[in-house]
Amino acid sequence: MALGKLQEAGPPAPGVDTVPKLFWQRVTEWADRTAMREKKFGLWQDITWREYGRMARYTGLALVELGLRPRDRAAIISDDIPEWLYCDMGIQCVGGTTVGIYPTDSPQQVEYVMGHSGSRFYFAEDEEQLDKILEVRDRLPDLKKIIIYDMEGLRDFRDPMAMSYDELLELGKQADQRDPEAFEKLLNIPGPEDTAFLVYTSGTTGPPKGAMITHRNVLAGFHSQRQVLKGYLEDELLTFLPLCHIAERGVTALGMIMNGWVCNFAEEMDTVPQDIREVSPTVFFAVPRIWERFYSAMVLRMKDATWLEKKAFNLAMAVGKACSDYRLHLKEPPVHLRAAFKLADWCVLRNLKRFVGLDRVRMCLSGAAPISPDLLKFYHSLGIDMREVYGQTESTGAATMHYAGGTKFGTVGEALPGIEIRITDEGEILIKGPSVFKGYFRDPDKTAETVRDGWLYTGDVGLIDEDGHVVIKDRLKDIIITSGGKNITPSEIENQLKFSPYINDAVVIGDGRKYLTALIMIDEENVMKYAQDNRIPFTTYKSLTQAPEINKLIWREVEAVNKKFARVETIKKFRLIDIQLTTDDDEITPTMKLKRKYINEKFKDIIESMY
């Protein structure tokens, strides 16, 4: 894609000081442009900004007809589909506050979020999400209406509290026909300091907290980001991470309003590898787990290659690494090296990138968890502009980022314009700026503890290096202090372990212990292939993790990582987690990170066996 052909979105018009006003500005100026796509019957279907605006308009007006008042909360529980965005914007445009609920949440978790937020409306994707609210609604006095997107299997379902989304849209259409000016008047209800949406944190240290993100937070955050991260109307992205998480919410729901890029909805998580190859996005955001999977897929593909193909790959990567080294030192590679990389890309690397769907990508972003510097280096050697982003829900997403041409491995970049970063004497990272959130809903004590004198206390430990780049060491609560008094940051070791194509995730243990151990979750697909290629017998996932040959394989990977660390930081023993954990389990967050606290509790007997 030639940069000269790309067109930037214009800035918010004068007086546009809320998300709904900016959204409607975009609907007006981009009416016939494609806003998003979804796959139906195997074909990608375009949805224009005009259609996006119409659906949000009818949704909002219908909610007002049903009794939604300014600042009322309305919840959405669904996988990533266009209806999620229609309702999110519809709720906000009439002065309401959106509450996102993870589609993997249990009925009890749904009850907590609905009860704590006092949500009066509940948008359910399908029968599965409907069942959750029906199980707990008797304990939710604020709940007024349940709206269902997909009525498959519910033909005979009748309930005075429930209605289909199609019925809601018809109600909104009728309201619009009665008073065509009503919607534009409602757009002026929310003010910059009003809460646009609540984001409930994962709750690893207690019940989830509802972070209040204001319209001012959103617009200020994007004003900072746009000065560093250029987005274009011609950009395409693939959406598949939970939209109720601040990262995907920022990139998709809000990023497309600010930048105008086209959002393509993955059919489901299992189809993401196929979907990304079909879409071939130009901008791609993912969590480290996804980047690790792509890396593993490419490395294992090369293991099955011929001797000549392996030789060509190694040579191409050497050229790519040499070019990357120049650019990381803010220098343009010599002419002969640039020419060599073009040849290497044409003959080898382009096909490898096409294999995972990254052949058109101009920029990749990694966030929501730490990523291995070696992994970043690998993608840069492929010629991909890969940047790391750091922030929190409470900072409305990104607070630091690698600037164009300023990537520095081992850091999360520099503070965005308008954002201040400070390090306390204890090493905790503080953030200050207009994107710092309003506080926790109905929790003034926790708010006062988290934000002091305008500074957000992140709970992360790190430093600012000589170039002004922020280095994240670990979560303050996760720092390991061995019985010998040595402070160890487990995430550095874990990231190196996850760089192995055979390791999906790892939790390092050792707080108050004489030495470090690890619980390791294998990459099922890659380890299974290794077992088949080497004729290692297994029948189930559990038997695969118990095979002596597989444990030897993982120990070799652990020993390779141990060589990179001081003796006190090396893993002395490990155990493989013998059950498959998914985002449906308490032990894994929706962004696919293992929860250290839950893992330690669930596998405490196995941990003790290593000591």
Side-chain angles (χ1 to χ4, degrees):
M1 181 179 287
L3 286 176
K5 296 180 181 178
L6 300 180
Q7 180 184 355
E8 279 192 73
V16 171
D17 54 3
T18 64
V19 174
K21 287 178 183 176
L22 180 57
F23 168 66
W24 207 246
Q25 176 189 328
R26 298 315 196 196
V27 169
T28 304
E29 64 185 342
W30 295 336
D32 296 319
R33 295 186 68 95
T34 299
M36 61 187 91
R37 295 191 189 95
E38 65 173 332
K39 204 172 184 182
K40 287 186 175 180
F41 308 110
L43 297 174
W44 291 95
Q45 308 286 335
D46 286 3
I47 299 169
T48 64
W49 279 92
R50 188 191 309 279
E51 177 69 0
Y52 185 5
R54 185 177 70 88
M55 299 295 272
R57 183 186 189 103
Y58 290 169
T59 300
L61 288 172
L63 288 173
V64 172
E65 288 284 303
L66 292 173
L68 182 133
R69 303 165 305 214
R71 299 175 186 82
D72 274 354
R73 276 77 59 199
I76 306 171
I77 181 165
S78 167
D79 286 323
D80 295 0
I81 54 176
E83 285 81 0
W84 210 110
L85 298 188
Y86 300 159
C87 294
D88 182 28
M89 283 300 109
I91 293 162
Q92 292 186 49
C93 283
V94 297
T97 299
T98 305
V99 180
I101 304 179
Y102 289 106
T104 54
D105 276 3
S106 66
Q108 291 69 37
Q109 291 169 316
V110 168
E111 179 186 354
Y112 177 81
V113 173
M114 289 292 293
H116 185 269
S117 66
S119 291
R120 301 181 69 216
F121 298 87
Y122 178 90
F123 288 90
E125 179 179 7
D126 51 22
E127 186 176 8
E128 178 188 356
Q129 306 300 355
L130 169 65
D131 288 343
K132 293 176 183 179
I133 197 69
L134 293 180
E135 185 178 324
V136 301
R137 66 172 168 180
D138 290 344
R139 298 188 290 275
L140 297 171
D142 293 318
L143 180 63
K144 181 178 178 68
K145 206 73 178 176
I146 299 166
I147 302 101
I148 309 143
Y149 298 143
D150 183 359
M151 295 296 290
E152 184 177 354
L154 296 169
R155 180 181 299 176
D156 299 323
F157 174 73
R158 297 289 183 274
D159 190 295
M161 187 179 276
M163 67 189 302
S164 72
Y165 186 54
D166 286 341
E167 291 174 316
L168 183 85
L169 291 174
E170 182 58 33
L171 185 64
K173 182 179 179 180
Q174 292 171 6
D176 193 38
Q177 289 171 345
R178 283 199 312 273
D179 186 357
E181 297 179 0
F183 185 75
E184 278 74 5
K185 293 175 183 176
L186 290 165
L187 282 174
N188 293 309
I189 289 178
E193 301 304 324
D194 283 331
T195 303
F197 50 88
L198 292 178
V199 179
Y200 276 82
T201 60
S202 55
T204 56
T205 56
K209 302 180 292 293
M212 295 184 286
I213 308 298
T214 68
H215 296 283
R216 175 173 173 266
N217 291 152
V218 173
L219 297 187
F222 271 93
H223 177 68
S224 294
Q225 291 170 35
R226 285 193 76 193
Q227 297 177 59
V228 176
L229 180 68
K230 296 295 183 183
Y232 302 96
L233 298 180
E234 293 80 7
D235 276 324
E236 302 262 353
L237 66 153
L238 184 72
T239 297
F240 60 97
L241 295 171
L243 277 166
C244 45
H245 190 278
I246 192 64
E248 191 66 84
R249 184 71 158 278
V251 172
T252 294
L254 304 172
M256 62 190 294
I257 294 171
M258 188 62 72
N259 298 303
W261 46 39
V262 179
C263 158
N264 297 271
F265 286 100
E267 282 190 278
E268 52 189 64
M269 281 300 293
D270 290 343
T271 66
V272 167
Q274 176 64 28
D275 292 334
I276 189 175
R277 284 192 290 270
E278 291 180 6
V279 171
S280 191
T282 60
V283 175
F284 191 66
F285 169 81
V287 295
R289 179 72 65 81
I290 301 297
W291 296 119
E292 290 154 8
R293 285 180 184 173
F294 286 171
Y295 165 77
S296 297
M298 287 186 273
V299 168
L300 289 176
R301 175 165 179 161
M302 293 316 302
K303 283 189 176 182
D304 291 335
T306 65
W307 175 86
L308 184 61
E309 287 171 333
K310 289 178 182 176
K311 194 76 173 174
F313 169 72
N314 291 333
L315 183 60
M317 288 299 291
V319 172
K321 182 180 181 301
C323 283
S324 173
D325 288 341
Y326 271 97
R327 293 195 170 105
L328 290 173
H329 289 90
L330 303 181
K331 296 177 182 177
E332 190 64 18
V335 175
H336 73 277
L337 199 54
R338 295 204 303 271
F341 180 78
K342 281 189 176 181
L343 181 62
D345 189 47
W346 180 266
C347 297
V348 181
L349 302 181
R350 181 180 297 183
N351 289 332
L352 202 58
K353 288 183 282 189
R354 186 178 293 118
F355 171 64
V356 292
L358 297 177
D359 50 307
R360 284 205 313 151
V361 78
R362 66 174 184 83
M363 178 177 58
C364 288
L365 301 170
S366 180
I371 189 170
S372 164
D374 290 339
L375 202 56
L376 287 176
K377 184 70 175 175
F378 173 80
Y379 284 104
H380 270 262
S381 298
L382 289 175
I384 293 173
D385 179 11
M386 177 78 139
R387 308 190 205 175
E388 195 166 2
V389 178
Y390 166 72
Q392 297 187 330
T393 298
E394 293 83 354
S395 63
T396 317
T400 74
M401 186 184 297
H402 288 133
Y403 286 30
T407 300
K408 186 175 183 181
F409 298 143
T411 80
V412 290
E414 304 167 69
L416 291 170
I419 300 291
E420 296 178 66
I421 304 289
R422 195 169 78 184
I423 310 296
T424 68
D425 293 340
E426 294 76 28
E428 185 173 2
I429 298 170
L430 310 186
I431 299 172
K432 192 175 192 178
S435 60
V436 170
F437 80 141
K438 188 177 181 178
Y440 295 116
F441 188 63
R442 293 176 172 169
D443 198 341
D445 292 342
K446 196 65 181 177
T447 299
E449 180 186 322
T450 306
V451 181
R452 293 172 243 164
D453 297 323
W455 289 95
L456 170 65
Y457 282 68
T458 66
D460 291 320
V461 176
L463 55 89
I464 301 174
D465 72 9
E466 66 280 2
D467 297 318
H469 286 245
V470 177
V471 178
I472 308 291
K473 291 295 186 180
D474 219 316
R475 292 292 292 167
L476 192 62
K477 68 181 188 302
D478 290 340
I479 297 293
I480 289 174
I481 304 177
T482 65
S483 59
K486 175 68 177 177
N487 281 33
I488 295 170
T489 54
S491 66
E492 292 184 45
I493 306 168
E494 291 162 356
N495 282 334
Q496 289 294 329
L497 289 169
K498 289 186 286 184
F499 190 57
S500 162
Y502 301 113
I503 296 176
N504 215 338
D505 215 331
V507 173
V508 173
I509 295 123
D511 198 42
R513 314 271 191 173
K514 291 182 180 179
Y515 54 85
L516 300 185
T517 60
L519 286 175
I520 292 175
M521 189 162 69
I522 62 171
D523 186 301
E524 182 188 9
E525 185 178 345
N526 295 341
V527 172
M528 190 180 295
K529 185 178 186 306
Y530 176 87
Q532 291 166 345
D533 291 346
N534 291 274
R535 298 184 177 181
I536 300 168
F538 69 94
T539 53
T540 63
Y541 181 84
K542 184 172 184 177
S543 68
L544 182 65
T545 63
Q546 292 175 342
E549 297 91 341
I550 298 304
N551 278 266
K552 288 178 182 176
L553 168 69
I554 301 301
W555 179 243
R556 286 197 296 270
E557 300 296 306
V558 172
E559 284 189 312
V561 169
N562 279 342
K563 291 175 183 177
K564 300 179 181 181
F565 292 94
R567 181 183 293 273
V568 71
E569 297 172 312
T570 58
I571 304 297
K572 302 300 190 292
K573 295 180 182 180
F574 76 92
R575 294 288 187 273
L576 298 183
I577 295 174
D578 62 5
I579 57 174
Q580 292 172 287
L581 298 173
T582 70
T583 51
D584 291 334
D585 297 295
D586 290 337
E587 292 78 20
I588 291 190
T589 71
T591 50
M592 296 179 278
K593 295 177 287 187
L594 286 178
K595 296 181 183 178
R596 197 178 303 276
K597 175 187 172 185
Y598 285 87
I599 290 291
N600 284 338
E601 290 173 359
K602 187 178 185 75
F603 300 101
K604 60 183 179 181
D605 292 340
I606 295 175
I607 292 171
E608 289 303 324
S609 74
M610 292 188 282
Y611 293 96

